[in-house]
Amino acid sequence: MFLDAHLSLSDAQALTDTAASTNYYDAGSARAIGDGEPLAALVTIDVAADFTTANETYVITVESDDNTSFSSATTLASRTMTAAERAAGSRIIIPIPPSTPAERYYRLNYTLGGNTPTVTLSAQIQPMSMLQNERVYAGGFTIS
């Protein structure tokens, strides 16, 4: 998979409470990024999400706004992590719907709940065509 630094929203972001992605995507001007080639937010779990007390919850929301403070953010899509998606290495794909409002800035918002929620994750915006048939191979090897 090719990654564009401008489309990276979180890079090994450690979360223990509700927070926004460390980065946002600046489209340069107001535009509906859901139109044209289908896009998605790809979230990869770097360190497994805690579920010690069995009441932890993790919700990921794709937001847009006309300003970087996201003071009047519009929710484009939202997804609650399932139990199976909490493991390290899990990938969560959140499609960005077509006909989204034309905004300039896009980010993810992570809503954590329960007693001891913790998770470390990375996220970026990717074309759906790069995600649909992608194969994930084991890491930590050297080709010589």
Side-chain angles (χ1 to χ4, degrees), residues 58-130:
Y58 305 87
V59 179
I60 304 166
T61 305
V62 181
E63 297 179 336
S64 67
D65 207 338
D66 61 353
N67 63 78
T68 59
S69 66
F70 288 81
S71 57
S72 58
T74 300
T75 296
L76 303 179
S78 187
R79 172 93 180 270
T80 300
M81 284 173 49
T82 66
E85 293 169 335
R86 293 185 182 124
S90 295
R91 299 175 45 209
I92 301 165
I93 298 172
I94 307 170
I96 297 173
S99 302
T100 60
E103 300 273 18
R104 179 173 175 174
Y105 303 100
Y106 297 84
R107 73 173 184 188
L108 295 182
N109 195 55
Y110 309 108
T111 305
L112 280 59
N115 289 348
T116 58
T118 60
V119 65
T120 300
L121 48 76
S122 296
Q124 51 277 141
I125 296 173
Q126 291 286 307
M128 286 292 286
S129 61
M130 292 180 68

Side-chain angles (χ1 to χ4, degrees), residues 28-74:
S29 62
R31 58 185 79 196
I33 67 169
D35 295 343
E37 182 172 2
L39 298 175
L42 170 64
V43 179
T44 304
I45 306 302
D46 298 325
V47 177
D50 178 55
F51 200 59
T52 305
T53 58
N55 71 351
E56 289 83 6
T57 58
Y58 305 87
V59 179
I60 304 166
T61 305
V62 181
E63 297 179 336
S64 67
D65 207 338
D66 61 353
N67 63 78
T68 59
S69 66
F70 288 81
S71 57
S72 58
T74 300

